[in-house]
Amino acid sequence: MIRVLAIDDEPLALQQLEAYIKKMPFLELAGSCQSAFDAMRIMENDVIDAIFIDINMPDLNGMEFVKQLAMPPLVVFTTAYSEYAIEGFKVDAVDYLLKPFGLQDFQRAAMKVKARYDLMNAATVTPAADEEDVLFFKTDYRVVRVCISDIRYVEGMSEYLKIHLDNQKPIIVLLSMKKLEERLPPSRFMRIHRSYIINLRRIREVNKNRVIMDADTYLPIGDNYKEQFNQYLGSKFLGK
C-alpha cells in the first residue's frame, strides 16, 4: 500500500481528496491536514510515500513547501490555477490536477503515482548466490557488488537512496527505504528515522536524540523509531 497524505486548506476540497484516495485500492490515507506546517509535522514522524497537495495555501504554499523538503515523497499538485503546471514539473512532481477535477482525473494521477512507486520498489537489490553478506545494486547503468558489512548507513534522498560505505564513495540507487530495509539483516541494521538506516555495529555514540557515527556524521532519531532503538540500547547497556 502507498501511504498518502492529503493537504488542502479548503475543507470541502480536502474531504473530496480524502474520498478519492480511499477509493483507490493501492492507496492508504495516512493522514490529512489543512496547512503545509501541519504536513511538515506529520511527515517528520510518519512514513509518507506520496502527497496530494494544494498549491495556493496561506502562510506557506504547496510549491514552496515541496521545494524546501530535503527528501520529498512522490508529489501530485492540485490547484485552480493552470499557470503553476510548468513550475510543478520543475520540482519533479508526478502529476498536476487542475481544479475542479473528478474521480477519473484523480485516478489517472493515482496510477502515475503507483507506476513511479513500483519503479522505486522494483527488485533492484539482488542477493548474491551463496554469499549471505553480499548484495548487488543497479547504479549508473552498472551493477555494483556491495558487502553488507561495509554499509555504514543509508540516507533517503527523495526517490533515491545514498548508501554510505567504508573506504569508498557512496553509491546512489533508485530504491525505496522500505525495500532495502527488508533485505538488510535486522540484527545488524535498524531504521532510526524516516530518512536513515544505520549499521548498529558502526555506532560510536548516542547523544540525546542523535546517533554519532563518526566525527562528521550526526544522525537524528525520529519519534516513531525511538522506542525500538531504545530497546536495542537497553539490551546492550551495562552500568547504572
Side-chain angles (χ1 to χ4, degrees):
M1 294 288 280
I2 304 171
R3 290 177 58 78
V4 177
L5 180 62
I7 311 159
D8 199 307
D9 65 310
E10 299 176 5
L12 291 178
L14 186 60
Q15 288 176 18
Q16 183 190 54
L17 201 51
E18 291 171 351
Y20 286 170
I21 290 169
K22 290 175 181 178
K23 287 181 182 293
M24 301 296 112
F26 50 86
L27 299 183
E28 176 187 354
L29 182 63
S32 62
C33 54
Q34 293 181 257
S35 78
F37 293 108
D38 288 340
M40 199 178 303
R41 283 190 286 271
I42 293 172
M43 292 171 65
E44 284 175 352
N45 295 299
D46 200 353
V47 177
I48 301 297
D49 300 311
I51 59 175
F52 285 77
I53 181 169
D54 184 29
I55 292 178
N56 292 307
M57 295 190 294
D59 300 323
L60 180 64
N61 72 42
M63 188 71 67
E64 293 305 317
F65 170 66
V66 171
K67 285 180 179 178
Q68 74 174 25
L69 293 174
M71 289 157 284
L74 301 175
V75 178
V76 176
F77 286 115
T78 65
T79 184
Y81 301 91
S82 59
E83 62 266 26
Y84 284 110
I86 294 176
E87 191 177 357
F89 288 113
K90 284 182 181 178
V91 296
D92 198 29
V94 176
D95 206 356
Y96 175 96
L97 286 168
L98 186 62
K99 296 179 179 180
F101 55 86
L103 179 58
Q104 206 168 28
D105 294 324
F106 179 87
Q107 187 174 29
R108 277 194 293 267
M111 290 302 296
K112 290 181 182 180
V113 169
K114 184 179 186 301
R116 185 84 67 93
Y117 179 85
D118 288 345
L119 177 63
M120 291 166 56
N121 287 275
T124 56
V125 184
T126 308
D130 301 323
E131 293 187 80
E132 293 182 0
D133 197 47
V134 171
L135 294 173
F136 285 106
F137 294 91
K138 292 180 183 177
T139 177
D140 295 331
Y141 307 103
R142 300 175 295 140
V143 176
V144 179
R145 180 181 183 273
V146 171
C147 289
I148 291 176
S149 57
D150 287 340
I151 300 174
R152 296 176 56 245
Y153 68 97
V154 180
E155 178 182 2
M157 302 171 60
S158 185
E159 300 170 21
Y160 295 84
L161 298 181
K162 189 174 186 179
I163 302 174
H164 297 261
L165 303 165
D166 278 337
N167 303 317
Q168 55 185 300
K169 292 181 179 179
I171 62 171
I172 297 176
V173 299
L174 179 64
L175 188 68
S176 72
M177 292 287 279
K178 188 183 300 183
K179 186 73 174 182
L180 181 56
E181 187 179 11
E182 290 171 354
R183 302 304 293 269
L184 293 172
S187 61
R188 295 160 59 186
F189 290 85
M190 183 176 292
R191 192 167 183 175
I192 61 166
H193 187 274
R194 64 183 297 268
S195 302
Y196 293 105
I197 296 172
I198 63 169
N199 185 333
L200 295 168
R201 298 178 181 180
R202 302 307 171 90
I203 297 173
R204 177 179 292 185
E205 184 179 333
V206 179
N207 189 335
K208 296 182 180 178
N209 291 324
R210 299 182 302 177
V211 173
I212 301 173
M213 307 297 287
D214 55 50
D216 301 314
T217 308
Y218 293 69
L219 305 180
I221 304 170
D223 290 343
N224 282 6
Y225 305 90
K226 282 181 183 177
E227 183 177 354
Q228 182 185 12
F229 184 68
N230 286 337
Q231 286 177 358
Y232 167 77
L233 288 182
S235 70
K236 303 293 182 181
F237 189 78
L238 290 178
K240 296 181 180 180

